[in-house]
Every structure is written in C-alpha cells, then in structure tokens.
Amino acid sequence: GILLLWVQRRAKAAKIVLTLGFLVLAALSFSAVADQFIKPLELWYPPLLDTSGMKDVKWVVVLGGGHTSSSTLPPNAQIGNSSLARLIEGIRMHRAVPESKLILSGGAVFDPVPEAETMAAVARMLGVSPDDIVLESLSKDTGQQAQFIQGIIQNDRCVLVTSAIHMPRAMLVFEQKGLRPIPAPTEFGDWMRKETNPYRFFPRADELRKVESALHEYLGLLWAKLTR
C-alpha cells in the first residue's frame, strides 16, 4: 500500500490495500479470531493425565522453549515461560513414571549457553536428582532434537513434553526418526478459560503473537511433511 502510494502514485489502489491491511491486522488482534489459529494445534493431543500404563517407559524428554543466560540472574529467571512450563510438566511426568530419566534438550542457538544446561540447573533447584538428568545440548531445532535423542534412547519408548501448539510438529518429526513418543502437551492457550475477561473485547499485541506462533507451526508441519 505504501509503495503504491509513494512510488507509483496510485492513490485509489493504495487506499484499498492499506484499508484491507488495517482490517486484517485489526481482526487478528482480537482473541476470537486469533484463537481459531491455535485451537486446532492445541486440541491435536490432550493433556497426559493417566500415567498408569507407562511402567515400561524409561525416558521423559523435555524440549526447550527459549532462554537467556545471565550470570547475574538465578537459573529460573533465565529460562522463558515456555521452557519453564515444559520443564515443570516434564518433572511431573518424571515423578509419575518410576525410575525414568529426564532428558533435557536444547542447544546454544541464539545464546552461548546451551538451553539444556539452564533447564538442568532449574530442575536441580526443583529437587530433581542430577543422576536422573540427561542433557542433549547440541541441537539447533526440532529435527536435530529428534535425531540426537534417538541416538540416546534408541528404540525405547519416551514421554515427549513440549508446548501444546508445538506438539503436532514435534510428534511428526520424532515419529519420522523412528521414535515412539507419548505426547504430554503443556502450556495451553487462554482460550481454554471458561470465563469471559474484558480484554477479549479489545485488540491486543498478544493475539498477534498467537497468530505468529500458529503460522510458524503450520509452516513447520508443511516443511516436515515435504522433507521427510
């Protein structure tokens, strides 16, 4: 729209494009619209509540979701909300599955410290024994996580913990590597809340982040299917 307005001097076409762009941006800023992007992904797999049939599971795999290392902050203040939610769910699964090991996965992507190391520090703070923690600290993306974890657990079954929105892609990639993960999604969106909050009637940047995350996952799913 701006190019049409300033470069080609087509005022009518520019008005149409800019108006459409504004309307789309505004619509995606409301939760009623943004939630429709993430709900299909987050409903793909239900939360893992019944662990009674997993006595043969030896591994609980937690995929990292972002961190920022800092020598001036405690470990729990260095990992992002997604990583913290995943780690807590992973610890819950680890305690629910007798004699399991907790694999923390995440390399040094945009940070000099591997994410797995930061998550391990938080896990120890939360009472997990260092003997029960296994680090996968070389991966740069979900595909490499599946590849390196397959080298650790071989043909053993595992519980796979990641955010609900990321779980469909993670499951697809892990199964493509020959693994047999049991999905344990966490960090579900606020669309699950039954009460109606006032903010749902106003445009918010958080809703745009939802749409961005959903589009990232849809494209990731498509890429995983095309490159398998």
Side-chain angles (χ1 to χ4, degrees):
I2 293 174
L3 287 175
L4 288 172
L5 183 63
W6 292 101
V7 177
Q8 300 184 15
R9 303 289 182 178
R10 297 183 179 180
K12 184 176 180 180
K15 289 179 180 178
I16 294 173
V17 174
L18 287 171
T19 300
L20 289 175
F22 170 79
L23 292 176
V24 171
L25 182 66
L28 296 178
S29 300
F30 287 90
S31 59
V33 177
D35 287 348
Q36 302 311 309
F37 284 81
I38 65 171
K39 282 173 69 174
L41 293 167
E42 295 194 346
L43 288 172
W44 207 307
Y45 295 100
L48 183 55
L49 302 177
D50 184 7
T51 60
S52 58
M54 298 194 300
K55 295 182 179 179
D56 62 328
V57 174
K58 299 179 180 179
W59 310 94
V60 175
V61 177
V62 180
L63 305 184
H67 83 299
T68 303
S69 63
S70 172
S71 59
T72 62
L73 296 174
N76 58 291
Q78 297 179 41
I79 63 174
N81 292 336
S82 292
S83 289
L84 185 58
R86 298 176 188 186
L87 180 60
I88 292 174
E89 177 67 5
I91 293 174
R92 184 179 78 86
M93 288 291 104
H94 167 61
R95 290 173 176 167
V97 180
E99 300 182 8
S100 62
K101 297 291 185 180
L102 190 65
I103 299 181
L104 305 178
S105 176
V109 183
F110 302 113
D111 193 284
V113 178
E115 186 171 8
E117 295 182 7
T118 305
M119 288 196 297
V122 178
R124 291 191 294 269
M125 289 175 58
L126 296 175
V128 179
S129 170
D131 296 333
D132 290 335
I133 298 175
V134 178
L135 299 186
E136 184 290 294
S137 56
L138 299 176
S139 59
K140 305 293 185 181
D141 54 32
T142 306
Q144 290 187 1
Q145 287 177 317
Q147 175 185 346
F148 294 140
I149 288 170
Q150 196 278 334
I152 296 173
I153 70 176
Q154 300 299 319
N155 295 321
D156 293 339
R157 295 177 71 202
C158 69
V159 174
L160 179 60
V161 180
T162 188
S163 300
I165 195 173
H166 179 234
M167 185 61 78
R169 179 160 61 99
M171 286 291 292
L172 175 62
V173 173
F174 271 63
E175 288 172 348
Q176 287 176 347
K177 296 295 183 181
L179 296 165
R180 299 178 296 154
I182 301 170
T186 188
E187 198 194 10
F188 289 85
D190 55 7
W191 61 266
M192 298 186 70
R193 298 175 182 169
K194 297 186 182 299
E195 72 274 9
T196 300
N197 293 320
Y199 70 76
R200 296 181 65 85
F201 301 100
F202 295 91
R204 300 191 309 152
D206 283 348
E207 307 307 324
L208 294 175
R209 295 190 187 97
K210 289 182 186 178
V211 176
E212 179 187 9
S213 297
L215 292 178
H216 176 83
E217 293 304 325
Y218 287 124
L219 290 173
L221 277 168
L222 178 61
W223 178 253
K225 291 180 179 180
L226 292 175
T227 56
R228 61 182 176 183

